[in-house]
Amino acid sequence: DAGVTQSPTHLIKTRGQQVTLRCSPKSGHDTVSWYQQALGQGPQFIFQYYEEEERQRGNFPDRFSGHQFPNYSSELNVNALLLGDSALYLCASRQAGSGNQPQHFGDGTRLSIL
Amino acid sequence: GENVEQHPSTLSVQEGDSAVIKCTYSDSASNYFPWYKQELGKRPQLIIDIRSNVGEKKDQRIAVTLNKTAKHFSLHITETQPEDSAVYFCAASKAGGGADGLTFGKGTHLIIQP
């Protein structure tokens, strides 16, 4: 049973460029969340997708956008990259349902901005 | 929005002793409180969680307590072992409607001294 998978594992970009990160949720999960984890910090919530719609958004600018596909996989897009966007980007998935279901994380994509 | 404070930032204990990590939250509507363990270069892994209708939960050497009135919750690890060394994050969220993005604390670096 595959867990949450993310690609690529590492990425190097320059300021001003655009990037797309990908996430496949754990089998049986249909809700996907994205988090940004700066070095030495806790993960910060970017947004959450369910039924191909953005259901909740954290305090991130609209340079950060996403998408969820019918197979529940998801993409995170970041435009006009800044040096401060350098971080580990984590995807987490969970089953939908009443109450809170535990979120399970992928290994992340390490994004470096030069 | 929700704010989660976590203390201490670093905790060093002798192997075999107990470790306690404390968190406070600001939003009284939060009702789900997971704890994640993150080893260097790895994904956050859920180790235990608690919902607001429960005051305490135990799983072998790990326990979590929740005080809704005071808006704080704590992680207790007994009989610590070298493999418990990692960064621990507390988090909080609200149930319902697919809108349960996690707000994390800044983490506690737990060091188990041999």
Side-chain angles (χ1 to χ4, degrees), chain A residues 56-67:
Chain A
Q56 187 186 10
R57 189 178 183 91
N59 189 25
F60 278 79
D62 57 12
R63 296 187 299 110
F64 290 76
S65 63
H67 189 78

Side-chain angles (χ1 to χ4, degrees), chain A residues 4 35 37 40-43 45 48 55-56 88 90 94 99-103 105-107, chain B residues 31-32 36 38 43-44 46 49 51 89 93-95 97-102 104-106:
Chain A
V4 180
Y35 295 83
Q37 186 176 25
Q41 301 293 316
F45 175 69
Q48 184 175 76
R55 293 302 182 103
Q56 187 186 10
L88 179 68
L90 293 162
R94 66 163 179 81
N100 292 102
Q101 301 295 326
Q103 294 189 29
F105 284 84
D107 287 330
Chain B
N31 57 10
Y32 175 65
Y36 287 86
Q38 189 175 31
R43 69 179 73 186
L46 179 73
D49 58 9
R51 288 161 175 78
F89 293 98
S93 73
K94 289 177 270 197
D100 62 347
L102 295 167
F104 282 84
K106 292 189 174 181

Side-chain angles (χ1 to χ4, degrees), chain B residues 8-92:
Chain B
S9 56
T10 304
L11 179 60
S12 182
V13 301
Q14 290 293 124
E15 183 179 348
D17 287 351
S18 295
V20 180
I21 302 170
K22 298 182 179 183
C23 290
T24 60
Y25 61 101
S26 62
D27 189 343
S28 57
S30 289
N31 57 10
Y32 175 65
F33 308 93
W35 286 87
Y36 287 86
K37 174 184 180 182
Q38 189 175 31
E39 297 176 64
L40 193 63
K42 296 195 174 180
R43 69 179 73 186
Q45 287 198 302
L46 179 73
I47 55 171
I48 196 167
D49 58 9
I50 192 167
R51 288 161 175 78
S52 60
N53 59 347
V54 175
E56 183 175 358
K57 183 177 178 181
K58 287 185 78 171
D59 182 4
Q60 299 182 354
R61 297 186 297 109
I62 294 173
V64 57
T65 58
L66 171 65
N67 183 326
K68 283 192 297 182
T69 304
K71 295 205 283 277
H72 67 71
F73 56 113
S74 300
L75 177 70
H76 305 253
I77 305 174
T78 59
E79 301 171 15
T80 53
Q81 300 169 2
E83 54 264 36
D84 294 330
S85 293
V87 179
Y88 291 79
F89 293 98
C90 61

